[in-house]
Amino acid sequence: EVERKLMLFNSLPFLLFFPIVTFGYFLLKNRWRWAWLLAASCFFYMFFRPIYILILALTIVIDYFAGILIEGSVGQRRKIWLLLSLVTNIGFLAFFKYFNFASENLAWFTHAIGIDWTPPLLDFVLPIGLSFHTFQAMSYTVEVYRGNQPAERHFGIYSLYVMFYPQLVAGPIERPQNLLGQLRTEHRFNYSSMVSGLQLMLWGFFKKIVIADRLGVLVDQVFDHPGRYHGLAILLAFYAFAFQIFCDFSGYSDIAIGSAETMGIRLMRNFDRPYLATSLSEFWRRWHISLSTWFKDYVYIQLGGNRVARWKNYRNLMIVFLLSGLWHGARWTFVFWGFIHGFGLIVEHFAKGVSGIRLPKRIAWFITFHLVVVAWVYFRASSLTSAHVLLGSLFALDLDLSRLFLDLGAVGTGRFDLLMSFGFVVVLELLHRFQNRTAVRPWLAERPAWIRWSLYYATIGAILVFGKLGSDQFIYFQF
């Protein structure tokens, strides 16, 4: 029911919505464009559950006035208005996302100590994109408090900053310094920006529909039925999920950034070939960049960052990644996923700073990639027990290919489908290595028109022929 009510980027409603909104934007005079985009963004969000827009409206009103009051106050009053804004935003996030999680754990604790009491559970659907627009709203009031951003007096422009439809549901999590000014600026139709944006959107659709959704068939069956499959099938599912979540989320980001770029609005880059990283530190400079920099600027540095004693720096790293895990979802699997990354970074910092260990680049890449893959098992598994069952199967790895294909047949993935899915992953990673030497879109712009259009048609053809059409929900929509 929830998925049918979402205006997914990979759905027919969006294919109608996008050109209407984009060309309507250019047909209007600049003084009306904010209203057009805000109305479109409200429609986009209300496609899910109309009533939830009231939550957004309330936080927008509070943060709008909080920004003005912060800027106009001095001394302790500035901090009071900031705290009012932060408490409101975090309060809504905690209530909708963590109330039931807290109740369930409190019930476990009371039963463990012999108290027969069950806290209440609430029956509601998590508002779509709550974690993303909450963090974006908080960055505004924090930056106003720090003096890095003047308070926005135009209520409509500020509302659009929070609700801008391309990145409303799953980011990138923008800063006011980058986005607010662009929402005021008059953007004339620019052919290069339109082409560049459409190219990025097309690539995002390819990653989502052809790679992520096809890999999802194997991933869903194996992870949803731990203990049913064995050996290589589970190992392949681990690798498949690593690339599924990358192509799914970076595909969403490409479509979001590209759709904004067609109107001349530049959103921040959110992914930078993360699986080429040779350390966890580098991985987090390349993965979900808007979130990792948010935690760095507003949590890690505020705790002292690396300008404190070594053990306090390790503490700061662990706090950031435990919070990052909890941000992703109200489940212990996400917390443990954060713990793995936090502990891995502590070991990495210790190895470099104390022991002076430096591994060869290829070995460092191999270790980093597989540590990330193992952590993804906890991210995807429905429970810690399921994750342990799946990981335990690796110690009884069955190299019998006949058993592998038997398992894959039960999953619904044949040999050809399997080879094709991972073949596209190989193509993706070869392209990433090419990007290390050459910027692809400028390179493509220099090629003759027949080459460019051949690549466009080939990509569209691959989506239609090899893609898993059916509007599968984006993984990060649940956060």
Side-chain angles (χ1 to χ4, degrees):
E1 178 187 358
V2 174
E3 290 188 20
R4 290 198 300 270
K5 291 184 178 181
L6 290 175
M7 187 182 289
L8 302 171
F9 282 167
N10 55 327
S11 67
L12 180 59
F14 181 77
L15 294 181
L16 299 173
F17 172 87
F18 168 72
I20 292 172
V21 172
T22 304
F23 288 108
Y25 175 83
F26 288 113
L27 290 173
L28 289 169
K29 292 184 177 180
N30 188 55
R31 68 175 181 269
W32 299 114
R33 286 177 174 175
W34 70 266
W36 172 254
L37 286 181
L38 182 58
S41 298
C42 289
F43 176 79
F44 182 88
Y45 190 82
M46 292 172 70
F47 211 80
F48 169 55
R49 283 181 182 248
I51 190 67
Y52 280 173
I53 202 169
L54 297 178
I55 301 169
L56 260 176
L58 179 59
T59 57
I60 285 171
V61 169
I62 292 173
D63 293 334
Y64 169 76
F65 285 107
I68 294 173
L69 291 167
I70 289 169
E71 188 177 65
S73 303
V74 294
Q76 196 68 16
R77 293 179 66 86
R78 299 180 74 249
K79 186 173 292 186
I80 291 173
W81 295 123
L82 173 65
L83 288 175
L84 173 65
S85 168
L86 297 180
V87 168
T88 300
N89 282 283
I90 295 173
F92 276 116
L93 182 63
F95 176 76
F96 281 98
K97 194 165 186 175
Y98 304 109
F99 182 90
N100 285 347
F101 178 67
S103 291
E104 290 167 356
N105 283 278
L106 184 57
W108 174 87
F109 177 75
T110 55
H111 292 163
I113 62 176
I115 300 176
D116 187 17
W117 176 66
T118 302
L121 294 176
L122 301 180
D123 183 18
F124 53 71
V125 177
L126 180 70
I128 197 75
L130 182 62
S131 296
F132 287 92
H133 57 70
T134 296
F135 271 33
Q136 182 152 316
M138 287 196 293
S139 70
Y140 166 76
T141 49
V142 171
E143 293 300 327
V144 172
Y145 177 81
R146 291 177 173 179
N148 298 327
Q149 172 66 37
E152 177 58 59
R153 258 60 181 182
H154 193 301
F155 182 74
I157 294 290
Y158 175 73
S159 300
L160 181 58
Y161 161 76
V162 177
M163 293 195 62
F164 186 43
Y165 88 83
Q167 40 89 233
L168 170 63
V169 175
I173 304 170
E174 282 293 344
R175 307 298 173 81
Q177 297 96 318
N178 178 48
L179 186 56
L180 268 173
Q182 294 192 76
L183 299 178
R184 289 180 172 277
T185 303
E186 181 176 2
H187 300 281
R188 298 183 182 277
F189 178 85
N190 183 283
Y191 179 77
S192 296
S193 293
M194 178 63 71
V195 170
S196 184
L198 291 174
Q199 286 174 340
L200 195 56
M201 291 179 72
L202 182 61
W203 180 235
F205 283 122
F206 177 85
K207 286 196 287 187
K208 165 63 177 171
I209 298 172
V210 177
I211 303 180
D213 289 350
R214 291 187 64 86
L215 291 174
V217 176
L218 171 62
V219 171
D220 290 347
Q221 283 296 321
V222 171
F223 275 87
D224 293 346
H225 304 92
R228 180 182 296 181
Y229 303 101
H230 306 84
L232 283 173
I234 294 179
L235 183 61
L236 287 175
F238 289 177
Y239 289 125
F241 180 66
F243 287 99
Q244 181 200 10
I245 193 169
F246 167 70
C247 290
D248 190 283
F249 193 18
S250 69
Y252 174 92
S253 295
D254 288 344
I255 299 168
I257 295 169
S259 60
E261 190 173 349
T262 60
M263 296 181 285
I265 299 172
R266 307 282 177 166
L267 301 179
M268 72 178 295
R269 188 177 190 179
N270 213 18
F271 290 88
D272 183 18
R273 307 180 296 277
Y275 291 148
L276 298 183
T278 56
S279 68
L280 281 180
S281 299
E282 184 184 359
F283 174 80
W284 281 105
R285 291 194 296 270
R286 293 169 173 264
W287 178 275
H288 202 175
I289 299 168
S290 64
L291 179 67
S292 60
T293 54
W294 196 99
F295 273 111
K296 176 184 175 183
D297 291 344
Y298 299 126
V299 180
Y300 180 68
I301 291 177
Q302 297 308 304
L303 292 172
N306 59 2
R307 304 184 308 275
V308 294
R310 183 175 290 114
W311 73 268
K312 287 186 177 180
N313 178 224
Y314 297 161
R315 177 206 63 186
N316 296 342
L317 286 169
M318 185 58 73
I319 289 173
V320 164
F321 279 93
L322 290 177
L323 288 175
S324 177
L326 198 59
W327 178 89
H328 281 86
R331 217 167 57 207
W332 285 111
T333 50
F334 292 120
V335 176
F336 196 74
W337 169 81
F339 172 81
I340 292 174
H341 278 277
F343 184 75
L345 279 163
I346 290 171
V347 172
E348 178 184 301
H349 282 221
F350 177 83
K352 290 181 179 178
V354 178
S355 66
I357 295 175
R358 295 291 188 275
L359 295 174
K361 190 172 182 178
R362 291 185 180 181
I363 295 176
W365 168 82
F366 183 86
I367 293 173
T368 300
F369 175 71
H370 285 89
L371 181 59
V372 170
V373 169
V374 170
W376 283 137
V377 175
Y378 288 92
F379 191 96
R380 176 58 180 82
S382 58
S383 67
L384 291 174
T385 300
S386 295
H388 295 152
V389 169
L390 290 164
L391 286 167
S393 70
L394 295 181
F395 293 101
L397 189 60
D398 185 357
L399 299 179
D400 184 356
L401 291 181
S402 62
R403 180 56 183 266
L404 168 65
F405 291 123
L406 181 64
D407 282 345
L408 294 176
V411 169
T413 301
R415 301 184 189 189
F416 176 76
D417 289 334
L418 177 68
L419 292 173
M420 182 171 58
S421 297
F422 281 97
F424 283 126
V425 169
V426 171
V427 170
L428 174 72
E429 288 305 302
L430 288 175
L431 180 61
H432 284 169
R433 294 186 180 278
F434 177 73
Q435 284 179 299
N436 269 348
R437 303 187 304 271
T438 306
V440 171
R441 285 193 283 174
W443 175 87
L444 187 59
E446 296 173 356
R447 306 280 79 77
W450 70 269
I451 293 180
R452 296 198 306 271
W453 283 95
S454 295
L455 289 173
Y456 300 155
Y457 284 127
T459 305
I460 294 171
I463 291 172
L464 295 176
V465 175
F466 301 115
K468 184 175 178 290
L469 305 175
S471 300
D472 284 12
Q473 183 174 324
F474 287 84
I475 292 173
Y476 265 68
F477 274 28
Q478 64 185 295
F479 307 136

